[in-house]
Amino acid sequence: MTHILAIDQGTTSSRAIVFDRNLAIRAIAREEFPQHFPAPGHVEHDPGDIWLTVAGTMRQAVEKAGLTGADIAAIGITNQRETTLLWDRRTGQPLHNAIVWQDRSTAQSCARLRDAGHERLVTERTGLILDPYFSATKLAWLLDTLPDARERARRGELAFGTVDSYLVWRLTGGAVHATDATNAARTMLYNIHENRWDEEICGLLDIPLSLLPEVRDCAADFGMVREDLLGRAIPILGIAGDQQAATIGQACFSPGMVKATYGTGCFALLNTGDTPVASRSRLLTTIAYRLDGQTTYALEGSIFIAGAVVQWLRDGLRLIRRAEETQPLSEAANPAERLILVPAFTGLGAPYWKPETRGAIFGLTRASGPAEFARAALESVGYQTRDLMEAMHADWAGSGTPPVLRVDGGLSASDWGMAFLADIIGAPVDRPEVLETTALGAAWLAGQRAGLCPGQEEFARTWALDRRFEPQMAAGERDSRYDQWKAAVAATIAVPFA
């Protein structure tokens, strides 16, 4: 048993990655699954698709590595956060599709809670703001909407979970209903200072505590996987939400270190150590990880659309066939054409938090074409990241030089995109050799719990740089472009769509 299996359940696909004891990748399996948009602003997943792609990729990855279940010492899980599931404890059947983190359908519920004066309580206890992004109002909506759901919940017949908790339930055959501190911290129901479900907030939303999973450390015993899945019962020993897993995989263990992960969205986390920092810039105060009962906190900025803007170019506008085409197109774009794309397809995240806002593009001319659209798409990711870096800098550093930004995720493979990112934030951007940092973090959690992998300090020393992107843009041009971006965002927010 010298290998670790990491399950990386994401927004558009499920992946399984086999790592050896040195945390080198041996095999990867990936399956995409459908996205469901039942109404404008609504985003759902079929729980059956989530489960089948996870179970399938687990088997495929182990087979591709030339291994069997007998070779796997432990399993780690990382997952799309905030996505909300509700299921029957007896049968395991979900009562509804999973409500995805991108879903904005509970914006009015959040507005009513805000108008009633509850946001301060929510922020002080959970570190979050009242926004449909988080699980709490999604769960309340399910309980309000589904026949007899509240009564069944009160009788203890139902279980709530984020994707990690649902997977643990399915993998263990219903033996374990648990989550970890990082996923619990994203529900808007968890007191991050006292590390417990908050009874008062649950009461506001009429959510029975019996619905909620047990909260454990990120490296902990989450039960044994059913023998029929991989041929033997294997322990699940690590769980972290995807962005916290990437923080661990990037070895951002020291206060002041910051990483940004570019997947469907972009999520930047700044390690603040054992101190939860209250943001003055509408960032989130969250749990970075909890190990051996000790909680490490972070400031987080969330961008809802990052890699998804490239997917939109491909699938929505059909301007490209593959994501990789954005690089040569951006290089070929006319420098005189200055398009600014605000990709608020599902609202704006931090630091604006405008769920009702929709996307816009500025500066179009008759000469605007696919190359200019591709460049604007990649630039939009850089601009949004600067929004987060400015807010983090105000909350954490106050003044001085921005820190080095460690990046990962699919979009970080774009040299052009990362070079522009360094230019627009005015700070070095470090891309590691291992871009699968989310799965790596989950694998390390499980591996070190199993006694297979090194401790935190030794693991941090294994982090290796692939390439550093240094800023080349003149400060005046950088600030001028960013001023244009801020004006475009202000104009986009000013146009009501809800």
Side-chain angles (χ1 to χ4, degrees):
M1 294 186 291
T2 56
H3 293 76
I4 306 139
L5 177 62
I7 297 169
D8 184 355
Q9 203 298 301
T11 307
T12 58
S13 67
S14 297
R15 298 188 306 158
I17 302 181
V18 175
F19 292 85
D20 65 22
R21 66 186 312 147
N22 297 315
L23 295 172
I25 294 174
R26 288 287 303 274
I28 301 176
R30 177 179 181 271
E31 288 186 27
E32 291 192 6
F33 55 86
Q35 310 292 299
H36 301 279
F37 309 101
H42 293 233
V43 188
E44 298 180 358
H45 292 157
D46 183 336
D49 290 337
I50 292 174
W51 169 243
L52 289 174
T53 54
V54 165
T57 55
M58 287 171 61
R59 296 187 183 102
Q60 292 167 33
V62 172
E63 290 173 5
K64 286 174 71 173
L67 305 173
T68 69
D71 300 301
I72 306 300
I75 290 174
I77 298 174
T78 184
N79 56 284
Q80 53 168 314
R81 305 171 303 171
E82 298 95 16
T83 295
T84 300
L85 295 105
L86 185 66
W87 65 92
D88 185 302
R89 286 185 181 273
R90 184 178 61 85
T91 66
Q93 281 295 111
L95 274 67
H96 191 275
N97 274 349
I99 310 298
V100 179
W101 59 271
Q102 296 169 314
D103 187 279
R104 316 306 289 166
S105 60
T106 61
Q108 290 186 351
S109 299
C110 292
R112 284 193 295 270
L113 289 166
R114 192 179 301 112
D115 292 343
H118 297 307
E119 184 162 45
R120 181 176 179 180
L121 169 70
V122 169
T123 299
E124 287 178 349
R125 302 275 180 89
T126 71
L128 310 178
I129 67 168
L130 275 170
D131 191 86
Y133 172 31
F134 306 108
S135 310
T137 54
K138 294 175 168 60
L139 175 57
W141 181 87
L142 288 170
L143 294 176
D144 286 335
T145 304
L146 302 176
D148 301 322
R150 280 204 185 277
E151 286 306 312
R152 295 188 65 198
R154 291 191 183 104
R155 293 196 299 265
E157 297 175 8
L158 305 181
F160 152 77
T162 43
V163 169
D164 62 300
S165 187
Y166 176 68
L167 290 177
V168 166
W169 180 277
R170 293 298 303 261
L171 289 166
T172 63
V176 178
H177 184 211
T179 188
D180 83 296
T182 67
N183 279 293
R186 310 299 297 188
T187 62
M188 209 167 72
L189 298 171
Y190 191 70
N191 189 315
I192 64 171
H193 309 283
E194 299 179 6
N195 273 293
R196 62 174 179 82
W197 297 115
D198 193 282
E199 294 182 15
E200 189 170 358
I201 296 174
C202 288
L204 281 176
L205 296 167
D206 194 16
I207 293 173
L209 291 172
S210 61
L211 267 180
L212 308 178
E214 179 186 342
V215 182
R216 301 177 183 176
D217 283 357
C218 298
D221 180 4
F222 291 93
M224 304 293 286
V225 169
R226 294 169 5 211
E227 289 187 19
D228 60 299
L229 289 171
L230 291 172
R232 65 175 284 267
I234 301 170
I236 305 168
L237 297 181
I239 293 179
D242 52 9
Q243 304 313 316
Q244 284 88 346
T247 301
I248 293 166
Q250 285 275 37
C252 290
F253 294 129
S254 300
M257 296 184 73
V258 59
K259 72 88 200 176
T261 297
Y262 297 96
T264 301
C266 166
F267 302 86
L269 266 75
L270 169 69
N271 185 321
T272 64
D274 59 6
T275 304
V277 175
S279 175
R280 301 179 301 274
S281 309
R282 293 180 66 76
L283 297 178
L284 307 176
T285 305
T286 195
I287 293 176
Y289 45 86
R290 196 174 84 192
L291 299 172
D292 298 322
Q294 299 297 310
T295 303
T296 297
Y297 294 94
L299 282 170
E300 176 175 334
S302 307
I303 297 168
F304 298 147
I305 300 294
V309 74
V310 176
Q311 191 177 44
W312 172 69
L313 293 179
R314 185 193 68 190
D315 301 338
L317 299 185
R318 301 186 185 277
L319 294 181
I320 58 174
R321 293 183 179 180
R322 301 186 313 279
E324 296 79 7
E325 294 174 27
T326 56
Q327 170 118 354
L329 282 171
S330 297
E331 293 170 348
N334 184 349
E337 293 285 315
R338 295 258 32 105
L339 269 60
I340 297 181
L341 170 62
V342 182
F345 305 145
T346 56
L348 287 170
Y352 307 103
W353 297 110
K354 296 291 184 181
E356 71 283 356
T357 297
R358 294 296 176 262
I361 191 161
F362 297 84
L364 287 170
T365 73
R366 286 288 300 274
S368 302
E372 288 70 36
F373 269 76
R375 183 183 63 191
L378 294 183
E379 287 180 345
S380 75
V381 177
Y383 288 128
Q384 291 179 98
T385 305
R386 177 159 173 179
D387 284 339
L388 301 185
M389 297 293 284
E390 296 266 328
M392 285 182 171
H393 191 55
D395 285 340
W396 177 255
S399 61
T401 305
V404 171
L405 177 64
R406 289 187 173 183
V407 297
D408 56 79
L411 203 61
S412 68
S414 168
D415 289 351
W416 194 95
M418 295 303 99
F420 179 78
L421 175 60
D423 279 343
I424 204 65
I425 68 172
V429 170
D430 282 0
R431 184 172 65 196
E433 287 185 355
V434 179
L435 291 181
E436 301 288 355
T437 55
T438 302
L440 176 63
W444 177 76
L445 286 170
Q448 60 93 25
R449 175 78 178 181
L452 199 63
C453 296
Q456 194 175 105
E457 290 185 7
E458 187 177 346
F459 173 64
R461 286 195 292 271
T462 67
W463 187 94
L465 179 69
D466 167 55
R467 179 173 174 182
R468 168 168 285 189
F469 298 86
E470 296 279 2
Q472 305 293 325
M473 188 180 290
E477 182 180 358
R478 175 184 306 126
D479 292 339
S480 174
R481 290 193 181 198
Y482 187 56
D483 286 343
Q484 283 186 316
W485 162 258
K486 288 190 291 185
V489 170
T492 304
I493 291 172
V495 180
F497 279 96

